[in-house]
Amino acid sequence: MLDKFNREINYLRVSITDRCNLHCRYCRPKEGISLQGHDDILRYEEIIRVVSVAVKMGLVKVRVTGGEPLVRRGCVDFLSRLKKIEGLQDISLTTNGILLEEFAQKIFDAGISRINISLDSLNRDKYSHITNGGDLDAVLRGIARAEEVGFSPIKINTVVIKGFNDDEALDFVRLALDKPFQVRFIELMRVGQQTNLDDVGDYMPTSQLIDRIKKKYELEPIKNKKKRFDGPARIFKIKGGRGEIGFINPVSDHFCSTCNRLRLTSDGKLRVCLLNEKEVDLKKALRENCSDEELEGLFREAVLLKPKQHDLICTENTLKKCRHMSAIGG
Ligand code: SAM
């Protein structure tokens, strides 16, 4: 699937629910969100069909996300069905880790060995504050369990918020020194209708963070993408460390020119860019018993709608226009 700018689209992020057991302040609006009903979201068999058709068109990688994917009943069974799709080379899962202690073995047994865990603070009170009541210890137990079970890689995703957790940067780096984890620092995107961050902190460019880390640690860039499925992160080894650290800069240095992805929202829309409102409705077609050829046509339509790059402008208007991350899957 080639788009208008000659980018090969071979990666689909699939949100299986907009429900979440956390309420992160940058992800969901202050006033809460209206959750999609049972009939509004795609059934698992519909998602399997969509992915199977896309694989025939060149899709090789799927990430399952949410909301929180592990809160949707039947998630593990769904993962094992995804795993059976021939030609799909890479399947990974993004989770907040709250339920991971319970699910790690089952997910691994379903054939999924790559996992991303979101973790924005290593301090119990701060973690609870940013997630609106989340239990840090549950996540840490989940990460430990994932390591025990044999997940590799284990990636820890940390959204950097100036004034909130930038002072913990070195603690996160130490996590990658001691453990074979890839800790990735992600720039905060101020999107959605009303991010609930006013009392928390703000965007901080990666460059400032790197300067701070370099004062303490020697970073060795990992050249030539040795790992095919690493995505847009710039990855470094820390001298003497077991793991790696990475930086993802969607705002200060966007990676649109190498974008290879589409997103499937839980309500069955093919979204052409995280930060662009254009979507193609697959659910309607699926529920009207469309043929595989028609589905392929909708994929081609979405691919051709992909913009050259996003325009993340943090004005009041832009904030109002965008769907929330919790609805899109991040
Ligand atoms: N519940 C899962 C989790 O917590 O990983 C999956 C869904 S969550 C929407 C996916 C990722 O999007 C998380 O790593 C989260 O930190 C990130 N995210 C959400 N809102 C964001 C924002 N405004 N800026 C940057 N990252 C964001």
Side-chain angles (χ1 to χ4, degrees):
M1 294 183 270
L2 274 190
D3 76 357
K4 281 194 295 199
F5 308 98
N6 227 21
R7 294 173 298 202
E8 191 183 343
I9 311 303
N10 55 17
Y11 172 24
L12 185 65
R13 291 178 68 100
V14 177
S15 171
I16 60 171
T17 179
D18 67 334
R19 290 171 194 255
C20 192
N21 47 1
L22 294 180
H23 203 112
C24 298
R25 285 166 189 271
Y26 52 74
C27 194
R28 299 186 149 210
K30 250 187 206 147
E31 65 279 10
I33 50 169
S34 62
L35 293 171
Q36 293 155 355
H38 189 66
D39 275 348
D40 300 325
I41 61 171
L42 286 191
R43 295 188 282 271
Y44 284 134
E45 52 271 28
E46 290 173 323
I47 303 176
I48 295 287
R49 180 171 175 216
V50 166
V51 172
S52 305
V53 165
V55 165
K56 286 195 206 118
M57 300 175 73
L59 183 80
V60 293
K61 170 175 172 176
V62 163
R63 171 170 297 284
V64 176
T65 175
E68 171 51 37
L70 296 181
V71 301
R72 180 161 174 192
R73 202 178 303 160
C75 175
V76 174
D77 183 49
F78 165 69
L79 292 172
S80 63
R81 286 164 71 190
L82 262 188
K83 184 70 189 169
K84 292 193 185 101
I85 297 177
E86 223 167 288
L88 187 57
Q89 297 172 23
D90 182 64
I91 304 170
S92 50
L93 179 79
T94 296
T95 172
N96 57 32
I98 291 284
L99 297 174
L100 196 55
E101 187 182 22
E102 176 192 343
F103 278 99
Q105 185 70 58
K106 295 175 196 161
I107 298 166
F108 195 79
D109 292 345
I112 312 301
S113 56
R114 300 167 62 82
I115 199 157
N116 287 13
I117 302 154
S118 305
L119 179 60
D120 295 334
S121 178
L122 295 167
N123 171 296
R124 280 190 192 92
D125 293 337
K126 282 164 74 177
Y127 183 79
S128 171
H129 184 67
I130 194 76
T131 57
N132 262 305
D135 175 6
L136 174 66
D137 292 316
V139 183
L140 297 180
R141 287 197 303 272
I143 295 174
R145 187 79 190 113
E147 194 189 354
E148 242 170 61
V149 162
F151 280 88
S152 177
I154 294 176
K155 296 185 183 176
I156 312 286
N157 285 345
T158 304
V159 175
V160 180
I161 305 167
K162 191 175 186 166
F164 172 72
N165 63 0
D166 56 311
D167 60 332
E168 292 187 63
L170 297 182
D171 300 334
F172 276 104
V173 172
R174 268 192 292 279
L175 204 58
L177 264 180
D178 302 339
K179 295 281 188 182
F181 301 155
Q182 189 182 94
V183 174
R184 293 138 35 108
F185 297 100
I186 303 175
E187 282 179 347
L188 172 72
M189 292 173 275
R190 296 222 62 175
V191 295
Q193 278 152 13
Q194 179 75 74
T195 42
N196 190 2
L197 270 174
D198 298 343
D199 59 338
V200 180
D202 213 340
Y203 163 77
M204 175 171 172
T206 285
S207 53
Q208 281 181 23
L209 194 70
I210 294 186
D211 286 347
R212 194 176 296 180
I213 294 172
K214 274 187 172 164
K215 285 193 182 129
K216 175 92 183 170
Y217 294 106
E218 203 173 315
L219 299 183
E220 299 167 358
I222 298 185
K223 292 195 194 109
N224 326 322
K225 287 239 153 127
K226 59 174 175 120
K227 294 170 201 142
R228 199 172 154 209
F229 296 113
D230 257 349
R234 283 166 58 204
I235 315 283
F236 297 83
K237 192 108 197 127
I238 319 144
K239 216 171 177 186
R242 293 176 68 196
E244 297 168 346
I245 60 169
F247 299 93
I248 303 182
N249 326 322
V251 182
S252 68
D253 184 15
H254 66 73
F255 31 83
C256 303
S257 67
T258 57
C259 182
N260 62 348
R261 60 191 68 183
L262 288 172
R263 290 176 165 79
L264 182 62
T265 63
S266 49
D267 58 350
K269 306 281 190 324
L270 213 44
R271 193 174 170 96
V272 305
C273 165
L274 176 65
L275 302 166
N276 185 298
E277 295 305 287
K278 288 194 182 114
E279 295 177 340
V280 172
D281 193 348
L282 296 192
K283 188 179 79 183
K284 184 166 180 291
L286 286 163
R287 306 253 161 119
E288 287 169 0
N289 297 319
C290 68
S291 65
D292 283 359
E293 289 68 33
E294 282 165 323
L295 264 185
E296 283 179 22
L298 293 174
F299 260 95
R300 270 192 291 275
E301 187 185 322
V303 165
L304 292 177
L305 281 173
K306 274 183 76 64
K308 188 169 181 196
Q309 60 187 59
H310 71 67
D311 51 354
L312 183 58
I313 311 161
C314 298
T315 63
E316 191 63 15
N317 270 347
T318 309
L319 285 174
K320 284 209 174 90
K321 236 172 31 188
C322 294
R323 278 229 236 181
H324 285 283
M325 292 290 181
S326 55
I328 306 166

